[in-house]
Amino acid sequence: MSEALEAALLLATALFTITNPIGNIATFAGMTADLDTDAQHATARTSAIAITLTLLAVLWAGHFLLGFFGVSIPALETAGGIIILHLGLSMLQNKPSGQAQTDKERVAAVRKESVAVVPIAIPIVAGPGAITAILVHAGNHESDF
């Protein structure tokens, strides 16, 4: 197996695991339960396009943004690991996140016309984990992309 194919399979596996498309079906169904079938299909298409564009933009421009802010790939990996460790420990201790929805946020959510881009595409699917995976992979395999 060629090195480029191996790298692509590794990235595809990581993205499938992190974005969790099967687990996010329930999230999508809950957020679009009040829509008819055609509107759900349109929301899914819009989300897929937004996810693809977001991850491609990160793939192509992420390295430049990291360089602009002076962040190295090892620093990104370390920071991401610390954040995941903190989230995992708080989940083990069953601590609530403390992020209660305010009345203003509830009203904004009801008025929102579509959930396709925010929150479904960004940050639920193309969130920090997927973005970090893309950046780390691209940083480690610059010649492939």
Side-chain angles (χ1 to χ4, degrees), residues 60-74:
W60 292 328
H63 180 72
F64 300 112
L65 288 173
L66 287 178
F68 178 77
F69 290 111
V71 178
S72 66
I73 295 296

Side-chain angles (χ1 to χ4, degrees), residues 60-141:
W60 292 328
H63 180 72
F64 300 112
L65 288 173
L66 287 178
F68 178 77
F69 290 111
V71 178
S72 66
I73 295 296
L76 181 68
E77 289 176 313
T78 302
I82 291 170
I83 291 169
I84 291 172
L85 174 68
H86 176 70
L87 290 172
L89 290 174
S90 68
M91 289 168 70
L92 281 174
Q93 296 172 357
N94 198 22
K95 290 183 180 178
S97 65
Q99 296 179 346
Q101 193 178 42
T102 65
D103 291 334
K104 186 176 180 181
E105 290 171 332
R106 279 190 206 97
V107 170
V110 170
R111 289 185 186 165
K112 189 165 183 70
E113 290 183 22
S114 176
V115 294
V117 176
V118 177
I120 292 175
I122 306 166
I124 292 176
V125 178
I131 290 171
T132 302
I134 292 277
L135 287 172
V136 168
H137 186 81
N140 291 336
H141 303 281

